[in-house]
Amino acid sequence: QVQLVESGGGLVQTGGSLRLSCAGSGRTFSSYTMGWFRQAPGKEREFVAAISWNGASTYYADSVKGRFSISRDNAKNTEYLQMNSLKSEDAAVYYCAASTYYRRNDYYTPRLPNQYDYWGQGTQVTVSS
């Protein structure tokens, strides 16, 4: 069982930065691929970024590439999403997720919601112009 709790959301101006955190419970947190998704009102949940268990592989949606950075600290059971140069279209509820289908896979960075089996409750990011 994995429990995930996001934090770090808030209100930021266009062009600003935020860092989201996701704290995981369970001693096997470090064995799993982690990801970030977001969902804006009236839209489907969309993939943002993923990171393999040891950070060897990362993958980003085209819409955030070069602006967002995913990382993790397994000693702290925490993953992060550094968001820079925020745009109005980045406003959404951001969710962290864990994919436990493969343990300790250096290359596994899934991009579909149904490839993740544990989710946090979400944190709101609002971008004002």
Side-chain angles (χ1 to χ4, degrees), residues 7-13 17-20 83 86 90-92 94 123-128:
S7 61
L11 174 64
V12 63
Q13 289 188 329
S17 298
L18 278 177
R19 189 176 82 154
L20 306 182
M83 305 186 296
L86 282 161
D90 295 319
Y94 282 71
T123 186
Q124 178 72 50
V125 172
T126 303
V127 183
S128 65

Side-chain angles (χ1 to χ4, degrees), residues 31-33 50-59 102-111 116:
S31 299
Y32 304 137
T33 288
I51 186 167
S52 62
W53 74 283
N54 59 357
S57 297
T58 58
Y59 194 87
Y102 298 100
R103 295 183 61 178
R104 302 197 172 196
N105 186 306
D106 290 359
Y107 307 105
Y108 187 56
T109 52
R111 298 142 213 177
Y116 291 80

Side-chain angles (χ1 to χ4, degrees), residues 26-47:
R27 57 185 178 180
T28 56
F29 174 91
S30 60
S31 299
Y32 304 137
T33 288
M34 299 295 297
W36 287 96
F37 288 76
R38 66 187 182 187
Q39 189 167 18
K43 295 188 176 181
E44 293 186 352
R45 191 167 297 190
E46 66 169 345
F47 171 79

Side-chain angles (χ1 to χ4, degrees), residues 83-97:
M83 305 186 296
N84 298 327
S85 302
L86 282 161
K87 305 176 181 180
S88 57
E89 52 262 43
D90 295 319
V93 177
Y94 282 71
Y95 299 90
C96 69

